[in-house]
Amino acid sequence: MARSRGFFTVLFDFSFSEFITPSIVGILYGIGMFFAGLGALGIILGGIHQGFFPGIVSLLLAPLAFLLYIIFIRVGLEGLLVAFRTAANTGRTADNTESLRNP
């Protein structure tokens, strides 16, 4: 696992024996939230720039757009983590099966 060795050691491991993605998924989620906030702010400012009524509509729609974007990012990252955990569990199962065949 990436936690057993240093971050930069795993980052520059050319054999790809350990995954780095599970250790940085929280950072990726934070970056996604930051850009979702910037997007919502852009929607609000764009609506206000167009006039009063578009500004009111943008104030109502920007939080909805923010939440939908965050949900999509979260589901995507969770799917990515599931794939990595499945790979790790499959590797352990293969190791256990191999040890049963060759006692």
Side-chain angles (χ1 to χ4, degrees), residues 3-80:
R3 291 181 193 107
S4 64
R5 294 169 46 189
F7 175 77
F8 289 104
T9 305
V10 175
L11 182 64
F12 294 110
D13 177 20
F14 289 102
S15 67
F16 290 92
S17 61
E18 296 183 31
F19 297 122
I20 195 170
T21 305
S23 64
I24 64 169
V25 75
I27 296 168
L28 295 175
Y29 186 59
I31 291 170
M33 287 184 73
F34 174 75
F35 283 112
L38 284 179
L41 184 62
I43 292 171
I44 292 170
L45 293 177
I48 290 173
H49 181 69
Q50 291 180 1
F52 178 74
F53 289 112
I56 296 297
V57 171
S58 70
L59 283 173
L60 296 174
L61 292 180
L64 179 64
F66 175 80
L67 286 175
L68 287 175
Y69 183 76
I70 291 300
I71 288 170
F72 287 135
I73 291 294
R74 180 71 186 218
V75 169
L77 289 173
E78 286 178 0
L80 185 65

